Amino acid sequence: MPDQNINDFFGQPSQTRYNQTVDALKATQSVFALADTDGCLIIPISGENILPIWLTKEQAEHWLTEEYEGFSALEIEAQAWLGKWLPGMANDQYKVGVCPNLAGECITVSAAELLSELA
C-alpha cells in the first residue's frame, strides 16, 4: 500500500476505520499488531491495557517510531484472532485499539465487545 493510501486511511474518522476493520474481520481477513521478542505492544492508558491492531502490515509498520524500536508487524490470522486472541484478551480484560492513526486516535473497545460484534 503506497504511503498516500496509508495517509488517506489514517485521515479517515476513527469510526470509519473501525467499521472497515470489523467488515474485514467478518470477511476473515487477518489483522496486524506490533511485537518484539517479549510479545505484543500493549499500551497502558488510564489503567487499561490496550492492544493496537491494523488491517495491513504497512499500516502497522507506519506506526513504528524510535519509541518502538525492535518491534515489527505481526500477522494474526482471523481464525486465531477470533478463537484464541479475543477470548483470552476478554478473560484478561484487555481492550483493542482499532487502527489508531499516527496521533493515536482510534476507537477502543473491550475484547469481549469486539468478539460479540464479530459473532
Side-chain angles (χ1 to χ4, degrees):
M1 177 180 280
D3 281 352
Q4 185 58 43
N5 288 343
I6 290 174
N7 291 332
D8 289 346
F9 178 78
F10 285 140
Q12 295 175 358
S14 295
Q15 186 66 54
T16 301
R17 294 191 314 273
Y18 179 86
N19 292 343
Q20 288 178 1
T21 302
V22 167
D23 290 345
L25 284 166
K26 285 180 178 178
T28 66
Q29 179 179 323
S30 298
V31 293
F32 291 82
L34 294 175
D36 66 6
T37 56
D38 295 324
C40 286
L41 173 67
I42 302 294
I43 300 174
I45 298 177
S46 301
E48 297 180 316
N49 291 315
I50 301 169
L51 173 73
I53 62 163
W54 295 269
L55 287 174
T56 68
K57 178 180 179 182
E58 292 80 10
Q59 290 167 358
E61 288 175 341
H62 210 70
W63 228 65
L64 292 173
T65 62
E66 288 179 14
E67 183 178 358
Y68 303 119
E69 187 175 331
F71 283 84
S72 60
L74 170 71
E75 183 175 7
I76 306 167
E77 294 182 7
Q79 184 176 359
W81 179 248
L82 295 171
K84 181 178 177 185
W85 284 71
L86 285 176
M89 290 173 60
N91 285 340
D92 295 337
Q93 298 183 349
Y94 276 61
K95 292 198 170 194
V96 180
V98 180
C99 294
N101 64 15
L102 299 179
E105 301 165 335
C106 67
I107 290 181
T108 302
V109 296
S110 70
E113 185 179 343
L114 184 56
L115 185 59
S116 174
E117 186 164 351
L118 294 170

